[in-house]
Amino acid sequence: MAEYGVRVSTGEAIGAGTWNRIAVSIVGTLGETPPLRLDHFGKEFSKGAVEDFRVASPQDVGRVLLLRLHKAPLLLPSPVGPLARDAWFCNWLQLTPPQGAPLRFPCYQWMEGSGILTLREGAGKVSWADDHPVLQQQRREELQARQDSYQWKTYRPGWPRCLDEKTVKDLDLNIKYSVTKNVHFYLKAGSGFTEMTLKGLLCRKGPWKSLHEMKRMFNFHKSPAAEYVYEHWQEDAFFASQFLNGLNPVLIRRCRSLPENFPVTDDMVAPVLGPGASLQAELERGSLFLVDHAILSGVRTNVINGKPQFSAAPMTLLYQTPGGGPLLPLAIQLSQTPGPTSPIFLPSDNKRDWLLAKTWVRNSEFSVHEALTHLLQAHLLSEVFTMATLRQLPHCHPLFKLLIPHTRYTLHINTLARELLIAPGQVVERSTGIGLGGFSELIQRRMEELSYTALCLPEDIRARGVEDIPGYYYRDDGLQIWGAVESFVSEIVSIYYPSDASVRDDSELQAWVREIFSEGFLGREDSGVPSSLDTRESLVRYATMVIFNCSAKHYAVSAGQFDSSIWMPNLPPTMQLPPPTSKGQTEPEGFIATLPAVNATCDIIVTLWLLSKDPGDRRPLGTYPEEHFIEEAPRRSITAFQSRLAQISKDIQKRNKELALPYTYLDPPLIENSVSI
């Protein structure tokens, strides 16, 4: 008879405790014990409890390999309803054998209803490191079970594939929002839409009467950043600065030669550059930049309130003033085809014409940002990374331990988006200028050209030629965070992979990369996205890319949505009149009539308020309350990572004190570990 000590930690979330019976089976090199019930006088497994038990094994099982958790209803026969489903969240178990040191078994999973869950001792093990057939078999069985639970589907042709579930009600508890987060989300959504309804705005299908009337909307949960937008939205310097530090800071690139379809002349830009200035000289000096929304050319548009909506595909030329001065717009063309009906708008034009041209560019920013920068690259690709991690990496794999915190709630929020945002009749179709059809078309187009370079921030910055443009805080802060993540990942990889060959020989790692390539990037070899990894260096870059895009990149392009949109003329979600085909025709009433209807405006603003503010139950970047790594070496790396992020935050906050508009969208304590909203 061998006696073991068992310590069990139950989670602290609402509903984490259970009334069910819990038992353990100990699997060793010499056999397996029968289920040994964990029981003592009184209630066990309450929320937040850490409890000790003693169990006796009728035989010697040898070296411990696995621990099986058994969960069954307390009452017999099996009850129905809530008692039958009584869920339990187990943090971890610690097994103390008759001889030897205690063994920690991380769990951090929900068990719902009756069932058995097999756990590994917590040391990270790559696929080739397991030395016993029982352990190898356990890896295969765990992955098969997860592949059965999390299956792929095609939501729309040409999109990255996604989780095959229709509603969040169908989701496994392990990927669902917590009770706290769910309640917070729906209360917030309800309060926002109720406020708009009571003000009589959500049911008004007509245009705004004036900008003054629109200011009523501005009192909806405004922030200091939103107030700054309201005060400066008409200024050229602020218009240009949003390409650097606004919600879509990923399009601007250095212009080395003017596109043939954008025939800007020296005379056109002389009022900004000065008499006798030469565009060619400025191109050679590297002071000109281009934002091209060509991907919008010919995209299908929506019908809102029975009225057809309109879109443009503008090109915007920008000038970096000398001595670190402001970035300024030089010229805007609202189509990709120059000609008499597509004039080039200039800062020297009539003030109303120029403001309308800038507003059309801002509408294009909305469409490209929401469909591509945000939905595709921040949400859909993060879902692919999450799915592949769950399906191809077992719990004991060091990459699973590294990545799983960066997948938290991603499958829930994306499933919810397919219910409430990008489904027929929902927000995107109801209130955006290009609608669901246009979103789908943009994503299909972008998927045909999306590159690995665009997903790796240092390479993306170099490819766009924006390494030295001043005041580009998205770049500055993003590169600091990329460097911190890369250093952390490099340390973890060096602990578990002694050589390049050990990377090549990890079959689970290779299956993970291959699945991301095939299901997420649809097997497009010209994307540059790898379908296999051959070196430790390539693995570090790849895992850094995954973590950065699931955390910092998502926050940078989502947190500012409400700040940018609450004053709607700064980021109109649709345009109700076509782009101007000549100059000198813009009147104040025409500008207002071009902007979205009242109900569409409010629908989008409430949605973006919901999606860009703290949803509760959040975990900042580098915060790992679930201790998947138990060894000292990776735990030291986590501590070093957290220290580096803290220093980055101090530097950002110090700089922000000197800025009229602080850039906070990449301050580490504000960034969430994962795409959860």
Side-chain angles (χ1 to χ4, degrees), residues 560-590:
Q561 291 177 101
F562 180 71
D563 294 337
S564 297
S565 70
I566 177 63
W567 180 243
M568 180 271 288
N570 183 63
L571 195 72
T574 184
M575 301 290 255
Q576 298 200 89
L577 295 177
T581 56
S582 62
K583 298 185 181 183
Q585 305 299 314
T586 308
E587 297 296 334
E589 58 271 17

PDB file of all heavy atoms in Angstrom, residues 560-590:
ATOM      1  N   GLY A 560      -8.313  52.743 -30.051  1.00  0.00           N
ATOM      2  CA  GLY A 560      -8.615  54.116 -30.437  1.00  0.00           C
ATOM      3  C   GLY A 560      -9.850  54.276 -31.297  1.00  0.00           C
ATOM      4  O   GLY A 560     -10.136  55.395 -31.760  1.00  0.00           O
ATOM      5  N   GLN A 561     -10.596  53.196 -31.508  1.00  0.00           N
ATOM      6  CA  GLN A 561     -11.753  53.291 -32.408  1.00  0.00           C
ATOM      7  C   GLN A 561     -12.771  54.323 -31.930  1.00  0.00           C
ATOM      8  O   GLN A 561     -13.252  55.150 -32.704  1.00  0.00           O
ATOM      9  CB  GLN A 561     -12.427  51.922 -32.536  1.00  0.00           C
ATOM     10  CG  GLN A 561     -11.602  50.896 -33.273  1.00  0.00           C
ATOM     11  CD  GLN A 561     -12.295  49.543 -33.291  1.00  0.00           C
ATOM     12  OE1 GLN A 561     -12.897  49.152 -34.278  1.00  0.00           O
ATOM     13  NE2 GLN A 561     -12.201  48.831 -32.185  1.00  0.00           N
ATOM     14  N   PHE A 562     -13.111  54.266 -30.672  1.00  0.00           N
ATOM     15  CA  PHE A 562     -14.124  55.189 -30.144  1.00  0.00           C
ATOM     16  C   PHE A 562     -13.589  56.620 -30.112  1.00  0.00           C
ATOM     17  O   PHE A 562     -14.299  57.559 -30.490  1.00  0.00           O
ATOM     18  CB  PHE A 562     -14.559  54.733 -28.757  1.00  0.00           C
ATOM     19  CG  PHE A 562     -15.590  55.624 -28.130  1.00  0.00           C
ATOM     20  CD1 PHE A 562     -16.887  55.652 -28.614  1.00  0.00           C
ATOM     21  CD2 PHE A 562     -15.264  56.442 -27.055  1.00  0.00           C
ATOM     22  CE1 PHE A 562     -17.845  56.485 -28.042  1.00  0.00           C
ATOM     23  CE2 PHE A 562     -16.213  57.274 -26.477  1.00  0.00           C
ATOM     24  CZ  PHE A 562     -17.509  57.292 -26.970  1.00  0.00           C
ATOM     25  N   ASP A 563     -12.345  56.793 -29.676  1.00  0.00           N
ATOM     26  CA  ASP A 563     -11.753  58.130 -29.629  1.00  0.00           C
ATOM     27  C   ASP A 563     -11.788  58.786 -31.007  1.00  0.00           C
ATOM     28  O   ASP A 563     -12.037  59.988 -31.132  1.00  0.00           O
ATOM     29  CB  ASP A 563     -10.305  58.066 -29.137  1.00  0.00           C
ATOM     30  CG  ASP A 563     -10.199  57.611 -27.693  1.00  0.00           C
ATOM     31  OD1 ASP A 563     -11.179  57.755 -26.944  1.00  0.00           O
ATOM     32  OD2 ASP A 563      -9.124  57.089 -27.319  1.00  0.00           O
ATOM     33  N   SER A 564     -11.536  58.005 -32.051  1.00  0.00           N
ATOM     34  CA  SER A 564     -11.486  58.554 -33.409  1.00  0.00           C
ATOM     35  C   SER A 564     -12.862  58.792 -34.000  1.00  0.00           C
ATOM     36  O   SER A 564     -13.023  59.634 -34.891  1.00  0.00           O
ATOM     37  CB  SER A 564     -10.712  57.599 -34.330  1.00  0.00           C
ATOM     38  OG  SER A 564      -9.370  57.469 -33.927  1.00  0.00           O
ATOM     39  N   SER A 565     -13.864  58.044 -33.543  1.00  0.00           N
ATOM     40  CA  SER A 565     -15.159  58.045 -34.221  1.00  0.00           C
ATOM     41  C   SER A 565     -16.259  58.808 -33.511  1.00  0.00           C
ATOM     42  O   SER A 565     -17.287  59.099 -34.121  1.00  0.00           O
ATOM     43  CB  SER A 565     -15.632  56.602 -34.422  1.00  0.00           C
ATOM     44  OG  SER A 565     -15.978  56.014 -33.168  1.00  0.00           O
ATOM     45  N   ILE A 566     -16.104  59.110 -32.220  1.00  0.00           N
ATOM     46  CA  ILE A 566     -17.199  59.730 -31.488  1.00  0.00           C
ATOM     47  C   ILE A 566     -17.556  61.080 -32.121  1.00  0.00           C
ATOM     48  O   ILE A 566     -18.731  61.456 -32.165  1.00  0.00           O
ATOM     49  CB  ILE A 566     -16.860  59.880 -29.982  1.00  0.00           C
ATOM     50  CG1 ILE A 566     -17.967  60.598 -29.226  1.00  0.00           C
ATOM     51  CG2 ILE A 566     -15.559  60.586 -29.784  1.00  0.00           C
ATOM     52  CD1 ILE A 566     -19.283  59.881 -29.212  1.00  0.00           C
ATOM     53  N   TRP A 567     -16.550  61.830 -32.629  1.00  0.00           N
ATOM     54  CA  TRP A 567     -16.863  62.986 -33.469  1.00  0.00           C
ATOM     55  C   TRP A 567     -16.889  62.478 -34.906  1.00  0.00           C
ATOM     56  O   TRP A 567     -15.899  62.388 -35.578  1.00  0.00           O
ATOM     57  CB  TRP A 567     -15.857  64.115 -33.288  1.00  0.00           C
ATOM     58  CG  TRP A 567     -16.180  65.294 -34.150  1.00  0.00           C
ATOM     59  CD1 TRP A 567     -15.430  65.800 -35.155  1.00  0.00           C
ATOM     60  CD2 TRP A 567     -17.368  66.108 -34.103  1.00  0.00           C
ATOM     61  NE1 TRP A 567     -16.049  66.860 -35.746  1.00  0.00           N
ATOM     62  CE2 TRP A 567     -17.257  67.078 -35.120  1.00  0.00           C
ATOM     63  CE3 TRP A 567     -18.513  66.099 -33.317  1.00  0.00           C
ATOM     64  CZ2 TRP A 567     -18.248  68.032 -35.355  1.00  0.00           C
ATOM     65  CZ3 TRP A 567     -19.500  67.048 -33.554  1.00  0.00           C
ATOM     66  CH2 TRP A 567     -19.364  68.003 -34.554  1.00  0.00           C
ATOM     67  N   MET A 568     -18.080  62.107 -35.359  1.00  0.00           N
ATOM     68  CA  MET A 568     -18.243  61.316 -36.575  1.00  0.00           C
ATOM     69  C   MET A 568     -17.604  61.905 -37.830  1.00  0.00           C
ATOM     70  O   MET A 568     -17.058  61.158 -38.655  1.00  0.00           O
ATOM     71  CB  MET A 568     -19.723  61.014 -36.795  1.00  0.00           C
ATOM     72  CG  MET A 568     -20.021  60.192 -38.027  1.00  0.00           C
ATOM     73  SD  MET A 568     -20.267  61.236 -39.465  1.00  0.00           S
ATOM     74  CE  MET A 568     -21.846  61.961 -39.089  1.00  0.00           C
ATOM     75  N   PRO A 569     -17.597  63.238 -38.058  1.00  0.00           N
ATOM     76  CA  PRO A 569     -16.961  63.736 -39.284  1.00  0.00           C
ATOM     77  C   PRO A 569     -15.481  63.371 -39.394  1.00  0.00           C
ATOM     78  O   PRO A 569     -14.913  63.406 -40.485  1.00  0.00           O
ATOM     79  CB  PRO A 569     -17.146  65.255 -39.177  1.00  0.00           C
ATOM     80  CG  PRO A 569     -18.364  65.426 -38.342  1.00  0.00           C
ATOM     81  CD  PRO A 569     -18.298  64.309 -37.331  1.00  0.00           C
ATOM     82  N   ASN A 570     -14.857  63.030 -38.273  1.00  0.00           N
ATOM     83  CA  ASN A 570     -13.464  62.606 -38.320  1.00  0.00           C
ATOM     84  C   ASN A 570     -13.301  61.191 -38.862  1.00  0.00           C
ATOM     85  O   ASN A 570     -12.236  60.845 -39.367  1.00  0.00           O
ATOM     86  CB  ASN A 570     -12.841  62.689 -36.923  1.00  0.00           C
ATOM     87  CG  ASN A 570     -11.376  62.327 -36.929  1.00  0.00           C
ATOM     88  OD1 ASN A 570     -10.568  63.005 -37.558  1.00  0.00           O
ATOM     89  ND2 ASN A 570     -11.017  61.235 -36.251  1.00  0.00           N
ATOM     90  N   LEU A 571     -14.338  60.352 -38.758  1.00  0.00           N
ATOM     91  CA  LEU A 571     -14.228  58.964 -39.211  1.00  0.00           C
ATOM     92  C   LEU A 571     -15.609  58.457 -39.654  1.00  0.00           C
ATOM     93  O   LEU A 571     -16.180  57.564 -39.039  1.00  0.00           O
ATOM     94  CB  LEU A 571     -13.667  58.074 -38.097  1.00  0.00           C
ATOM     95  CG  LEU A 571     -13.161  56.703 -38.532  1.00  0.00           C
ATOM     96  CD1 LEU A 571     -11.867  56.821 -39.304  1.00  0.00           C
ATOM     97  CD2 LEU A 571     -12.965  55.799 -37.313  1.00  0.00           C
ATOM     98  N   PRO A 572     -16.157  59.020 -40.716  1.00  0.00           N
ATOM     99  CA  PRO A 572     -17.506  58.610 -41.117  1.00  0.00           C
ATOM    100  C   PRO A 572     -17.542  57.172 -41.617  1.00  0.00           C
ATOM    101  O   PRO A 572     -16.737  56.788 -42.464  1.00  0.00           O
ATOM    102  CB  PRO A 572     -17.862  59.594 -42.236  1.00  0.00           C
ATOM    103  CG  PRO A 572     -16.567  60.142 -42.723  1.00  0.00           C
ATOM    104  CD  PRO A 572     -15.621  60.094 -41.565  1.00  0.00           C
ATOM    105  N   PRO A 573     -18.481  56.368 -41.138  1.00  0.00           N
ATOM    106  CA  PRO A 573     -18.552  54.965 -41.555  1.00  0.00           C
ATOM    107  C   PRO A 573     -19.159  54.769 -42.939  1.00  0.00           C
ATOM    108  O   PRO A 573     -19.052  53.692 -43.517  1.00  0.00           O
ATOM    109  CB  PRO A 573     -19.440  54.326 -40.488  1.00  0.00           C
ATOM    110  CG  PRO A 573     -20.291  55.442 -39.977  1.00  0.00           C
ATOM    111  CD  PRO A 573     -19.436  56.665 -40.051  1.00  0.00           C
ATOM    112  N   THR A 574     -19.802  55.798 -43.472  1.00  0.00           N
ATOM    113  CA  THR A 574     -20.369  55.714 -44.813  1.00  0.00           C
ATOM    114  C   THR A 574     -20.533  57.126 -45.348  1.00  0.00           C
ATOM    115  O   THR A 574     -20.440  58.110 -44.603  1.00  0.00           O
ATOM    116  CB  THR A 574     -21.717  54.974 -44.804  1.00  0.00           C
ATOM    117  OG1 THR A 574     -22.184  54.832 -46.147  1.00  0.00           O
ATOM    118  CG2 THR A 574     -22.763  55.718 -43.985  1.00  0.00           C
ATOM    119  N   MET A 575     -20.754  57.233 -46.665  1.00  0.00           N
ATOM    120  CA  MET A 575     -21.004  58.527 -47.304  1.00  0.00           C
ATOM    121  C   MET A 575     -22.248  58.382 -48.173  1.00  0.00           C
ATOM    122  O   MET A 575     -22.356  57.456 -48.973  1.00  0.00           O
ATOM    123  CB  MET A 575     -19.801  58.962 -48.139  1.00  0.00           C
ATOM    124  CG  MET A 575     -18.513  59.099 -47.329  1.00  0.00           C
ATOM    125  SD  MET A 575     -18.509  60.492 -46.181  1.00  0.00           S
ATOM    126  CE  MET A 575     -17.445  61.641 -47.045  1.00  0.00           C
ATOM    127  N   GLN A 576     -23.167  59.348 -48.031  1.00  0.00           N
ATOM    128  CA  GLN A 576     -24.470  59.223 -48.675  1.00  0.00           C
ATOM    129  C   GLN A 576     -24.559  59.897 -50.046  1.00  0.00           C
ATOM    130  O   GLN A 576     -25.550  59.700 -50.758  1.00  0.00           O
ATOM    131  CB  GLN A 576     -25.556  59.805 -47.766  1.00  0.00           C
ATOM    132  CG  GLN A 576     -25.687  59.079 -46.432  1.00  0.00           C
ATOM    133  CD  GLN A 576     -27.024  59.336 -45.791  1.00  0.00           C
ATOM    134  OE1 GLN A 576     -27.978  58.610 -46.030  1.00  0.00           O
ATOM    135  NE2 GLN A 576     -27.094  60.378 -44.972  1.00  0.00           N
ATOM    136  N   LEU A 577     -23.570  60.682 -50.420  1.00  0.00           N
ATOM    137  CA  LEU A 577     -23.502  61.276 -51.752  1.00  0.00           C
ATOM    138  C   LEU A 577     -22.199  60.851 -52.405  1.00  0.00           C
ATOM    139  O   LEU A 577     -21.221  60.533 -51.717  1.00  0.00           O
ATOM    140  CB  LEU A 577     -23.575  62.806 -51.661  1.00  0.00           C
ATOM    141  CG  LEU A 577     -24.886  63.394 -51.120  1.00  0.00           C
ATOM    142  CD1 LEU A 577     -24.788  64.914 -51.023  1.00  0.00           C
ATOM    143  CD2 LEU A 577     -26.066  62.992 -51.998  1.00  0.00           C
ATOM    144  N   PRO A 578     -22.124  60.844 -53.741  1.00  0.00           N
ATOM    145  CA  PRO A 578     -20.893  60.394 -54.406  1.00  0.00           C
ATOM    146  C   PRO A 578     -19.750  61.387 -54.221  1.00  0.00           C
ATOM    147  O   PRO A 578     -19.976  62.563 -53.895  1.00  0.00           O
ATOM    148  CB  PRO A 578     -21.312  60.279 -55.875  1.00  0.00           C
ATOM    149  CG  PRO A 578     -22.502  61.163 -56.018  1.00  0.00           C
ATOM    150  CD  PRO A 578     -23.204  61.136 -54.695  1.00  0.00           C
ATOM    151  N   PRO A 579     -18.512  60.953 -54.443  1.00  0.00           N
ATOM    152  CA  PRO A 579     -17.365  61.865 -54.344  1.00  0.00           C
ATOM    153  C   PRO A 579     -17.512  63.018 -55.335  1.00  0.00           C
ATOM    154  O   PRO A 579     -18.072  62.847 -56.434  1.00  0.00           O
ATOM    155  CB  PRO A 579     -16.169  60.982 -54.709  1.00  0.00           C
ATOM    156  CG  PRO A 579     -16.633  59.585 -54.500  1.00  0.00           C
ATOM    157  CD  PRO A 579     -18.097  59.584 -54.784  1.00  0.00           C
ATOM    158  N   PRO A 580     -17.023  64.195 -54.976  1.00  0.00           N
ATOM    159  CA  PRO A 580     -17.136  65.343 -55.883  1.00  0.00           C
ATOM    160  C   PRO A 580     -16.327  65.126 -57.164  1.00  0.00           C
ATOM    161  O   PRO A 580     -15.239  64.557 -57.130  1.00  0.00           O
ATOM    162  CB  PRO A 580     -16.576  66.504 -55.064  1.00  0.00           C
ATOM    163  CG  PRO A 580     -15.690  65.857 -54.044  1.00  0.00           C
ATOM    164  CD  PRO A 580     -16.329  64.546 -53.729  1.00  0.00           C
ATOM    165  N   THR A 581     -16.864  65.581 -58.258  1.00  0.00           N
ATOM    166  CA  THR A 581     -16.197  65.431 -59.559  1.00  0.00           C
ATOM    167  C   THR A 581     -15.649  66.758 -60.064  1.00  0.00           C
ATOM    168  O   THR A 581     -15.086  66.821 -61.158  1.00  0.00           O
ATOM    169  CB  THR A 581     -17.177  64.860 -60.593  1.00  0.00           C
ATOM    170  OG1 THR A 581     -18.341  65.702 -60.665  1.00  0.00           O
ATOM    171  CG2 THR A 581     -17.601  63.442 -60.194  1.00  0.00           C
ATOM    172  N   SER A 582     -15.831  67.821 -59.291  1.00  0.00           N
ATOM    173  CA  SER A 582     -15.288  69.127 -59.662  1.00  0.00           C
ATOM    174  C   SER A 582     -15.102  69.938 -58.389  1.00  0.00           C
ATOM    175  O   SER A 582     -15.579  69.565 -57.317  1.00  0.00           O
ATOM    176  CB  SER A 582     -16.229  69.858 -60.625  1.00  0.00           C
ATOM    177  OG  SER A 582     -17.487  70.094 -59.996  1.00  0.00           O
ATOM    178  N   LYS A 583     -14.403  71.048 -58.536  1.00  0.00           N
ATOM    179  CA  LYS A 583     -14.161  71.922 -57.387  1.00  0.00           C
ATOM    180  C   LYS A 583     -15.163  73.075 -57.377  1.00  0.00           C
ATOM    181  O   LYS A 583     -15.800  73.381 -58.375  1.00  0.00           O
ATOM    182  CB  LYS A 583     -12.743  72.466 -57.430  1.00  0.00           C
ATOM    183  CG  LYS A 583     -11.659  71.398 -57.343  1.00  0.00           C
ATOM    184  CD  LYS A 583     -10.273  72.031 -57.275  1.00  0.00           C
ATOM    185  CE  LYS A 583      -9.183  70.975 -57.221  1.00  0.00           C
ATOM    186  NZ  LYS A 583      -7.826  71.571 -57.080  1.00  0.00           N
ATOM    187  N   GLY A 584     -15.298  73.681 -56.214  1.00  0.00           N
ATOM    188  CA  GLY A 584     -16.118  74.868 -56.097  1.00  0.00           C
ATOM    189  C   GLY A 584     -17.602  74.612 -55.948  1.00  0.00           C
ATOM    190  O   GLY A 584     -18.404  75.551 -56.034  1.00  0.00           O
ATOM    191  N   GLN A 585     -17.978  73.372 -55.712  1.00  0.00           N
ATOM    192  CA  GLN A 585     -19.400  73.045 -55.631  1.00  0.00           C
ATOM    193  C   GLN A 585     -19.875  72.734 -54.204  1.00  0.00           C
ATOM    194  O   GLN A 585     -21.061  72.529 -53.982  1.00  0.00           O
ATOM    195  CB  GLN A 585     -19.702  71.821 -56.516  1.00  0.00           C
ATOM    196  CG  GLN A 585     -19.269  71.979 -57.959  1.00  0.00           C
ATOM    197  CD  GLN A 585     -19.965  73.126 -58.650  1.00  0.00           C
ATOM    198  OE1 GLN A 585     -21.183  73.278 -58.538  1.00  0.00           O
ATOM    199  NE2 GLN A 585     -19.199  73.959 -59.345  1.00  0.00           N
ATOM    200  N   THR A 586     -18.941  72.664 -53.244  1.00  0.00           N
ATOM    201  CA  THR A 586     -19.296  72.210 -51.895  1.00  0.00           C
ATOM    202  C   THR A 586     -19.934  73.326 -51.085  1.00  0.00           C
ATOM    203  O   THR A 586     -19.358  74.406 -50.926  1.00  0.00           O
ATOM    204  CB  THR A 586     -18.037  71.697 -51.155  1.00  0.00           C
ATOM    205  OG1 THR A 586     -17.387  70.733 -51.977  1.00  0.00           O
ATOM    206  CG2 THR A 586     -18.426  71.069 -49.828  1.00  0.00           C
ATOM    207  N   GLU A 587     -21.128  73.070 -50.577  1.00  0.00           N
ATOM    208  CA  GLU A 587     -21.819  73.988 -49.681  1.00  0.00           C
ATOM    209  C   GLU A 587     -21.979  73.305 -48.316  1.00  0.00           C
ATOM    210  O   GLU A 587     -21.927  72.072 -48.226  1.00  0.00           O
ATOM    211  CB  GLU A 587     -23.196  74.345 -50.247  1.00  0.00           C
ATOM    212  CG  GLU A 587     -23.152  75.085 -51.577  1.00  0.00           C
ATOM    213  CD  GLU A 587     -22.482  76.445 -51.463  1.00  0.00           C
ATOM    214  OE1 GLU A 587     -22.501  77.027 -50.348  1.00  0.00           O
ATOM    215  OE2 GLU A 587     -21.935  76.920 -52.479  1.00  0.00           O
ATOM    216  N   PRO A 588     -22.173  74.085 -47.240  1.00  0.00           N
ATOM    217  CA  PRO A 588     -22.308  73.472 -45.909  1.00  0.00           C
ATOM    218  C   PRO A 588     -23.379  72.401 -45.851  1.00  0.00           C
ATOM    219  O   PRO A 588     -23.178  71.336 -45.262  1.00  0.00           O
ATOM    220  CB  PRO A 588     -22.650  74.666 -45.007  1.00  0.00           C
ATOM    221  CG  PRO A 588     -22.069  75.846 -45.704  1.00  0.00           C
ATOM    222  CD  PRO A 588     -22.192  75.564 -47.178  1.00  0.00           C
ATOM    223  N   GLU A 589     -24.518  72.648 -46.482  1.00  0.00           N
ATOM    224  CA  GLU A 589     -25.581  71.649 -46.429  1.00  0.00           C
ATOM    225  C   GLU A 589     -25.206  70.403 -47.226  1.00  0.00           C
ATOM    226  O   GLU A 589     -25.628  69.291 -46.912  1.00  0.00           O
ATOM    227  CB  GLU A 589     -26.901  72.242 -46.933  1.00  0.00           C
ATOM    228  CG  GLU A 589     -26.869  72.798 -48.344  1.00  0.00           C
ATOM    229  CD  GLU A 589     -26.451  74.267 -48.402  1.00  0.00           C
ATOM    230  OE1 GLU A 589     -25.885  74.771 -47.396  1.00  0.00           O
ATOM    231  OE2 GLU A 589     -26.704  74.901 -49.433  1.00  0.00           O
ATOM    232  N   GLY A 590     -24.386  70.589 -48.283  1.00  0.00           N
ATOM    233  CA  GLY A 590     -23.933  69.431 -49.053  1.00  0.00           C
ATOM    234  C   GLY A 590     -22.962  68.572 -48.261  1.00  0.00           C
ATOM    235  O   GLY A 590     -22.972  67.341 -48.377  1.00  0.00           O
TER     236      GLY A 590
END
